[in-house]
Amino acid sequence: MIDYSKLFEEFFNEPKTTTYVPNKFAVDIKDDSAIIVMSVLGHDPKNIDINCFEDKIEIKAKKVTEDTENPFNQLISDIEERVNVGKNFDGRKSKAEIKNGILLITIERKEESKPKKLTLKLG
């Protein structure tokens, strides 16, 4: 028979290790822009570096403090992401803002790749 109380005790008394979990992002593509959304919760906005190139955007942030008392800080990891924006967007024409720990980067679509709406001629 398995002694669950012993397993429970061993699990919670083992030394804790911090595991790196890559930050994930989402992209919402619209007719004239795309929005990259990424959680930067726990990072100081002054320590977030965003570099915009024509074909990609680089996002970097380092974990600043090592606070072992606050368990939330164990969930914060360094950020290093590269997002390829594709040939239809210009990464250099981007805007960034942070709302409630969420980074929003808006990238404009190149003028020549914006969809053209046709009107039907009734005849």
Side-chain angles (χ1 to χ4, degrees):
M1 179 168 237
I2 298 174
D3 184 4
Y4 290 103
S5 62
K6 186 175 179 181
L7 285 174
F8 183 80
E9 184 178 316
E10 287 176 8
F11 176 77
F12 285 102
N13 289 330
E14 288 294 313
K16 302 291 185 242
T17 58
T18 304
T19 304
Y20 172 74
V21 178
N23 292 287
K24 298 296 177 194
F25 57 89
V27 179
D28 182 18
I29 299 176
K30 301 182 182 278
D31 285 341
D32 54 350
S33 66
I35 301 173
I36 299 171
V37 182
M38 174 188 285
S39 173
V40 292
L41 194 62
H43 287 278
D44 185 349
K46 291 180 266 181
N47 296 327
I48 299 172
D49 292 324
I50 304 169
N51 295 307
C52 300
F53 303 92
E54 184 176 6
D55 62 340
K56 67 182 172 190
I57 295 182
E58 294 178 345
I59 306 159
K60 295 180 183 180
K62 292 282 185 195
K63 183 177 178 180
V64 177
T65 59
E66 195 64 47
D67 183 2
T68 56
E69 296 296 319
N70 186 348
F72 171 74
N73 286 329
Q74 299 300 316
L75 300 174
I76 300 170
S77 62
D78 292 346
I79 298 172
E80 191 165 333
E81 295 287 346
R82 286 178 188 82
V83 182
N84 291 325
V85 298
K87 64 180 181 176
N88 294 329
F89 296 91
D90 189 351
R92 294 174 297 183
K93 295 182 179 178
S94 302
K95 299 174 194 160
E97 64 180 313
I98 293 179
K99 291 183 181 178
N100 300 322
I102 304 296
L103 174 65
L104 301 164
I105 300 174
T106 304
I107 310 164
E108 290 184 28
R109 187 181 286 269
K110 291 180 181 176
E111 194 63 39
E112 61 270 14
S113 69
K114 288 183 181 177
K116 180 181 177 182
K117 186 167 185 143
L118 297 178
T119 54
L120 294 174
K121 185 176 180 180
L122 301 175

